C-alpha cells in the first residue's frame, strides 16, 4: 500500500509509524469504497424500473445493514483510539530531554521562515517586537549577553543527523503551517502561541540526494524543465578532459548543451534541494513562494556550519 500511495522518502525516526498509519487508513477506505460501490451498483441494477416499478413501503427487514454500520464504526474507533491517539500522544507528550536535543525557534511570517539558533551558549537571547526590522526579522536583542551569539537564518534550516530536534514554532502575522514532508512533520504556526514539536532526522540530505539520483537522456537544444532544480551527480568532462559540470553543479540549459556536444547522451542528476519546508496553510498571495530549505548534516559538518555562521556575527 505504501508504494501505491507514492509517499516521499522518509528521513525521520518516527516516519515509518506515520506511514503505517496512513496505509491502514487507506486500506479501510479501499474496503469501504469497494463495499459501498458494489452495493450501489447492485441496488441500481436490482431495483431498476423494469424489475420493480413500485416502491416497497415496508422496506428492508433484515438487520444486516445495521450490523455492517456498527462493524465499520467499531473498526474506525479502534483506528482512532488504538492507533491514532497513542501515535499522536507520543508526538506531543513524550518530548526528548532538551539537554540531548537541538532546540531551534522557527518564526513564520508572510512569506518566509526565520530560524533562530541559541548559539554557542545554548541560551536564546530575548526578543522584542519593537526590535523587529528588515535586518532583524525575529526582533532579537543583540545587546543582551544571551543574544550576542545567537544565529538567525532565513529559509535555511540546518540540522545534525541522529539527534532529536525540538522546534519552538510561532508566527508573526497569520496562521502558517510548518510542513516538512520528508520528515513527516506538519504543524500549524499560530500568532501569539509557541507550539513545540520534535523529530529526529536519520538521514543526511546528501544521502537522500544520492538515493534520488537517476539517469536522464539529454540532447542538444532540448531542455528538460526538471533540470532547473537539479544538479550533476558526478564530474563531466569534454573530449579534452576539461571540466564541463562538476558534481553538485546546477544544470542550466547551456550546460546541458555543452554536455550533449561533448558526446554525453545521458547524465546522472539528482535534486539540488531534496528537502523543503513547505507552508501548508494558504497564508496569502505569496504563499506559493513560502519555501524553506532543510539541510541535514553529519554532527561534524553541522558544527562546522555553526562556527562559520558564528564568524559572521557582529562584534
Ligand atoms: Cu505561510
Amino acid at each position: 500500500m505504501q508504494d501505491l500511495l507514492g509517499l516521499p522518502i522518509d528521513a525521520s525516526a518516527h516516519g515509518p509509524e506515520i506511514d503505517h498509519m496512513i496505509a491502514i487508513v487507506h486500506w479501510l477506505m479501499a474496503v469501504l469504497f469497494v463495499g459501498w460501490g458494489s452495493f450501489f451498483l447492485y441496488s441500481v441494477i436490482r431495483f431498476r424500473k423494469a424489475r420493480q416499478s413500485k416502491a416497497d413501503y415496508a422496506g428492508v427487514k433484515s438487520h444486516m445493514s445495521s450490523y455492517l454500520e456498527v462493524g465499520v464504526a467499531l473498526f474506525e474507533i479502534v483506528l482512532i483510539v488504538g492507533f491514532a491517539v497513542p501515535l499522536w500522544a507520543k508526538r506531543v507528550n513524550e518530548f526528548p530531554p532538551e539537554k540531548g536535543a537541538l532546540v531551534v525557534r522557527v518564526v513564520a511570517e508572510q512569506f518566509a521562515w526565520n530560524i533562530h539558533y541559541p548559539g554557542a551558549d545554548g541560551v536564546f537571547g530575548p526578543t522584542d517586537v519593537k526590535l523587529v526590522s528588515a535586518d532583524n526579522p525575529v526582533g532579537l536583542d543583540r545587546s543582551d549577553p544571551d543574544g550576542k551569539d545567537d544565529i538567525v537564518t532565513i529559509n535555511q534550516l540546518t540540522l545534525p543527523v541522529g539527534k532529536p530536534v525540538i522546534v519552538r514554532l510561532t508566527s508573526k502575522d497569520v496562521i502558517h503551517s510548518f510542513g516538512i514532508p520528508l520528515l513527516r512533520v506538519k504543524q500549524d504556526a499560530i500568532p501569539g502561541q509557541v507550539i513545540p514539536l520534535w523529530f529526529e532526522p536519520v538521514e543526511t540530505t546528501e544521502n537522500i540526494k544520492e538515493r534520488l539520483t537517476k539517469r536522464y537522456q539529454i540532447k542538444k537544444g532540448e531542455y528538460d524543465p526538471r533540470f532547473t532544480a537539479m544538479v550533476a551527480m558526478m564530474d563531466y568532462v569534454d573530449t579534452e578532459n576539461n571540466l564541463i559540470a562538476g558534481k553538485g553543479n546546477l544544470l542550466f540549459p547551456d550546460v546541458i548543451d555543452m554536455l550533449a556536444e561533448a558526446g554525453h547522451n545521458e547524465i546522472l542528476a539528482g535534486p539540488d534541494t531534496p528537502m523543503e519546508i513547505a507552508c501548508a496553510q494558504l497564508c496569502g498571495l505569496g504563499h506559493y513562494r513560502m519555501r524553506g530549505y532543510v539541510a541535514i548534516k553529519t554532527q561534524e559538518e553541522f558544527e562546522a556550519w555553526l562556527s562559520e555562521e558564528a564568524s559572521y556575527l557582529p562584534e
Side-chain angles (χ1 to χ4, degrees):
M1 178 59 89
Q2 288 180 17
D3 296 334
L4 274 175
L5 291 173
L7 291 170
I9 281 183
D10 161 54
S12 72
H14 73 280
E17 284 176 84
I18 304 254
D19 291 1
H20 180 63
M21 186 74 211
I22 292 174
I24 305 178
V25 170
H26 279 82
W27 274 120
L28 173 66
M29 290 306 136
V31 170
L32 288 182
F33 176 73
V34 172
W36 294 137
S38 354
F39 178 67
F40 173 68
L41 286 178
Y42 165 79
S43 304
V44 165
I45 296 164
R46 170 66 184 76
F47 301 108
R48 64 190 187 276
K49 197 181 173 194
R51 178 100 184 253
Q52 188 174 0
S53 58
K54 201 165 170 248
D56 173 358
Y57 293 106
V60 184
K61 293 205 180 64
S62 97
H63 291 291
M64 189 59 177
S65 55
S66 317
Y67 298 148
L68 276 172
E69 282 289 358
V70 171
V72 170
L74 276 180
F75 198 91
E76 283 172 355
I77 290 168
V78 169
L79 269 189
I80 294 171
V81 179
F83 290 86
V85 172
L87 187 61
W88 181 239
K90 229 166 149 182
R91 303 309 313 148
V92 297
N93 286 339
E94 297 167 25
F95 268 66
E98 283 195 4
K99 252 190 155 178
L102 173 79
V103 185
V104 278
R105 289 181 69 231
V106 173
V107 184
E109 71 172 76
Q110 286 176 322
F111 298 97
W113 299 100
N114 301 295
I115 320 282
H116 180 184
Y117 294 84
D121 64 357
V123 183
F124 288 104
T127 55
D128 191 333
V129 199
K130 289 187 210 96
L131 296 171
V132 172
S133 67
D135 301 333
N136 189 359
V138 297
L140 176 67
D141 184 358
R142 290 264 181 220
S143 65
D144 190 279
D146 290 339
K148 276 197 169 58
D149 61 349
D150 287 22
I151 290 160
V152 179
T153 64
I154 297 173
N155 289 332
Q156 182 60 53
L157 177 62
T158 305
L159 304 169
V161 71
K163 190 176 178 179
V165 178
I166 299 173
V167 173
R168 294 188 193 150
L169 182 66
T170 189
S171 168
K172 275 159 72 171
D173 36 45
V174 300
I175 300 177
H176 299 275
S177 183
F178 180 76
I180 311 176
L182 271 68
L183 291 173
R184 304 297 189 270
V185 165
K186 193 178 281 167
Q187 170 63 54
D188 275 9
I190 298 171
Q193 281 188 22
V194 178
I195 302 174
L197 63 112
W198 76 280
F199 54 86
E200 183 179 326
V202 290
E203 198 171 340
T204 61
T205 27
E206 213 35 61
N207 216 46
I208 292 170
K209 243 182 195 178
E210 297 283 349
R211 274 169 71 186
L212 293 172
T213 293
K214 282 192 220 133
R215 260 172 217 292
Y216 294 86
Q217 303 289 328
I218 55 165
K219 244 190 205 151
K220 191 171 187 256
E222 278 177 30
Y223 189 67
D224 186 332
R226 287 177 296 180
F227 286 149
T228 49
M230 298 186 107
V231 291
M233 288 304 284
M234 59 175 275
D235 291 344
Y236 287 98
V237 292
D238 65 9
T239 41
E240 275 138 39
N241 241 1
N242 300 312
L243 190 70
I244 308 173
K247 190 179 172 184
N249 282 24
L250 282 164
L251 296 167
F252 296 113
D254 56 325
V255 175
I256 295 290
D257 282 351
M258 277 155 70
L259 287 167
E261 230 167 276
H264 299 282
N265 43 33
E266 59 171 33
I267 52 162
L268 276 178
D272 181 26
T273 50
M275 207 186 277
E276 292 179 351
I277 312 172
C279 182
Q281 284 284 8
L282 196 51
C283 56
L285 283 177
H287 162 70
Y288 70 93
R289 63 181 153 84
M290 187 165 170
R291 189 202 282 172
Y293 299 97
V294 186
I296 312 283
K297 296 175 181 281
T298 62
Q299 184 66 34
E300 300 82 69
E301 286 167 351
F302 175 71
E303 272 156 28
W305 175 82
L306 267 187
S307 44
E308 194 194 331
E309 288 292 316
S311 68
Y312 302 137
L313 287 175
E315 276 306 302

